Amino acid sequence: MKYQNKQINLKIDGHLYEKLKEYAKDEGKSVQHILTESLVSMMARKQEPVYKDGKFTFIDLFAGIGGMRIAFTKQGGICVFSSEWDKYAQKTYFDNFDVMPQGDITKINAQEVPDHDILVAGFPCQPFSIAGVSKKNSLGRATGFQDKTQGTLFFDVCRILEAKRPKAFLLENVKNLKSHDHGNTWRVIQESLNQLDYEIFPQIIDGQGFVPQHRERIFIAGFDRRRYGNLYDFQFDVDNQKPEKKPVLRDILEPEVNEKYTLSDKLWTFLQNYAAKHKAKGNGFGYGMPELDGVTRTLSARYYKDGSEILINQGKDKNPRRLTPRECARLQGYPDSFKITVSDTRAYKQFGNSVVVPLVTAIAGKIVEKVEELDKKAERGDDSDGTHKLQQTGH
């Protein structure tokens, strides 16, 4: 379902209108754009609805279109706060959850974030500057996580962890996070979370088996050492939660598809020539056309450009086609009830940036299970092997 733009008549004071036009000109935007942004900002200040029947509370940072929210809600969680800066993702989020995520996380006061049990974030991977850290070390000055992560969006995760101290968190990122910037990014992430007194457990997991897509991502689960100490282990162990019948590509295909998704002769010729050129050089670059009873390559945010990583064979007498936005949603494990209310281009970007919902649902279940186990042990004052210890707490 796609909503059409609506027109409203708005009467405002003449002096205010002139000021509004002047402001819009200074910002390089239209008056309509300014008014729309103002309405979105106002709606973003609306608090998440509070329910009392949840097992736990969580916040959804870098929320995208809400894949992580769906996952943790399915495990009995209540979302009490969400943040997403992209206005098109905000629209999709609002259209599905009736809540407008707050915007730029760098401008959000951590103390104003509601208390919560679990922090959830699919944070972007950015370079971490270590020049300042090295300089301080050479001067013999101590550095904390803020010094190391300042200027990156990971810092915003850290400052909320420091301010609100949730029991646990789940972070998600691209597979090569550990090798990013020659390993410096991963080192800073580990050191920062360790200095914040969180015990972390990272693992790269493939979404294949939950959906018909090869999609490896790193997941980082963390638990508050001030509450629970560190005499325990955590295993993601989600394989036994995969469906008995392995999902394959044909499972997610729509029976009838608009001709607009079929590649033009020009684009199809280009992709074939491009693939042949790289094959001759010994490279593996080229389009992907998986078997209908197989799995696809990783869906990316650039899928809207040509769809080359996942093409659907339509027989020898017809050019292949790209996936529809609904098929992309299914490929990521979104239910058909999930509303797609943006253009195809925006939808492709959004689903390409999203998570495999059933995989994250399985991980969420494991984290909730571990938190409940650790809470019981903390109440008894027991460590992992049942002996008494001095309870550690940050409160």
Side-chain angles (χ1 to χ4, degrees):
M1 177 181 181
K2 293 184 179 179
Y3 296 113
Q4 296 180 340
N5 289 335
K6 300 295 183 181
Q7 183 173 331
I8 61 173
N9 293 320
L10 179 65
K11 290 184 178 181
I12 60 175
D13 178 82
H15 178 70
L16 177 60
Y17 178 71
E18 292 303 319
K19 289 292 184 182
L20 182 60
K21 283 203 307 182
E22 183 180 334
Y23 177 77
K25 183 179 179 180
D26 290 343
E27 291 292 312
K29 300 176 181 178
S30 68
V31 170
Q32 177 180 318
H33 195 163
I34 295 295
L35 289 173
T36 300
E37 284 187 339
S38 299
L39 286 171
V40 168
S41 177
M42 180 184 70
M43 293 169 71
R45 292 198 294 271
K46 174 187 173 185
Q47 293 294 310
E48 292 269 0
V50 177
Y51 303 101
K52 296 182 179 180
D53 57 351
K55 291 169 58 178
F56 62 94
T57 57
F58 69 96
I59 65 171
D60 191 13
L61 305 182
F62 308 101
I65 58 176
M68 303 271 262
R69 181 185 181 121
I70 293 174
F72 277 81
T73 299
K74 282 187 175 182
Q75 296 296 355
I78 299 298
C79 186
V80 296
F81 178 85
S82 56
S83 172
E84 169 57 46
W85 72 273
D86 182 87
K87 66 179 182 180
Y88 298 102
Q90 282 183 327
K91 172 176 168 49
T92 299
Y93 200 99
F94 177 76
D95 290 340
N96 281 277
F97 306 110
D98 288 330
V99 172
M100 183 66 73
Q102 294 202 29
D104 188 351
I105 193 173
T106 65
K107 299 177 181 177
I108 294 172
N109 185 336
Q111 295 295 342
E112 294 177 359
V113 174
D115 292 338
H116 52 279
D117 297 313
I118 301 175
L119 178 150
V120 177
F123 69 99
C125 179
Q126 297 172 295
F128 284 61
S129 173
I130 60 171
V133 178
S134 299
K135 182 178 180 180
K136 288 184 179 182
N137 284 339
S138 67
L139 296 173
R141 292 164 56 186
T143 61
F145 78 90
Q146 292 188 20
D147 295 299
K148 297 176 182 179
T149 61
Q150 188 76 48
T152 74
L153 293 174
F154 177 68
F155 164 72
D156 296 287
V157 175
C158 289
R159 66 186 178 86
I160 293 174
L161 285 174
E162 182 184 41
K164 308 308 294 189
R165 294 220 63 86
K167 297 177 180 180
F169 62 74
L170 176 66
L171 309 181
E172 180 266 353
N173 212 295
V174 294
K175 173 188 175 182
N176 65 354
L177 179 67
K178 286 189 173 182
S179 59
H180 185 264
D181 192 24
H182 307 289
N184 289 324
T185 297
W186 178 242
R187 178 179 62 78
V188 172
I189 287 174
Q190 282 186 301
E191 290 179 358
S192 300
L193 295 173
N194 182 60
Q195 289 175 4
L196 285 170
D197 264 344
Y198 278 90
E199 192 75 6
I200 67 169
F201 302 89
Q203 186 169 328
I204 294 172
I205 307 177
D206 194 340
Q208 185 179 168
F210 288 93
V211 294
Q213 177 191 182
H214 172 60
R215 188 182 190 88
E216 291 182 300
R217 289 292 184 269
I218 187 168
F219 293 91
I220 309 167
F223 301 90
D224 185 6
R225 283 202 296 254
R226 296 182 191 175
R227 290 176 186 266
Y228 306 127
N230 62 353
L231 300 178
Y232 53 87
D233 192 19
F234 173 76
Q235 300 292 331
F236 286 88
D237 191 25
V238 295
D239 285 344
N240 61 356
Q241 298 186 59
K242 294 178 180 178
E244 290 185 13
K245 180 184 177 298
K246 183 178 179 180
V248 295
L249 176 58
R250 71 168 71 247
D251 295 334
I252 61 105
L253 299 182
E254 296 188 88
E256 296 183 10
V257 174
N258 193 301
E259 285 296 317
K260 69 179 182 178
Y261 297 106
T262 296
L263 301 189
S264 67
D265 291 340
K266 182 179 180 180
L267 177 56
W268 179 222
T269 299
F270 170 79
L271 291 178
Q272 291 178 93
N273 291 339
Y274 183 83
K277 180 177 69 174
H278 280 281
K279 184 176 181 180
K281 294 181 179 180
N283 299 330
F285 301 110
Y287 60 85
M289 196 179 300
E291 297 292 331
L292 295 185
D293 289 315
V295 300
T296 72
R297 294 180 180 179
T298 301
L299 180 70
S300 74
R302 67 168 297 282
Y303 188 74
Y304 73 95
K305 292 186 176 180
D306 54 30
S308 61
E309 65 254 43
I310 307 171
L311 295 176
I312 305 302
N313 192 332
Q314 298 191 97
K316 63 180 181 179
D317 298 325
K318 193 172 184 180
N319 293 347
R321 68 172 178 87
R322 68 186 72 195
L323 295 171
T324 68
R326 176 58 62 193
E327 289 168 340
C328 289
R330 292 174 178 176
L331 194 62
Q332 293 283 49
Y334 282 81
D336 282 356
S337 58
F338 189 86
K339 302 181 185 74
I340 303 174
T341 60
V342 293
S343 69
D344 285 359
T345 296
R346 296 294 174 185
Y348 285 136
K349 288 181 179 181
Q350 290 175 2
F351 289 117
N353 278 326
S354 190
V355 295
V356 173
V357 175
L359 168 58
V360 179
T361 302
I363 294 173
K366 290 293 182 180
I367 290 176
V368 173
E369 183 181 285
K370 192 66 180 182
V371 167
E372 291 175 345
E373 172 194 324
L374 292 173
D375 277 343
K376 290 178 181 177
K377 289 183 176 181
E379 289 173 4
R380 296 195 306 263
D382 295 342
D383 62 18
S384 59
D385 59 10
T387 57
H388 186 75
K389 69 173 183 179
L390 180 62
Q391 186 172 339
Q392 298 181 32
T393 177
H395 302 281

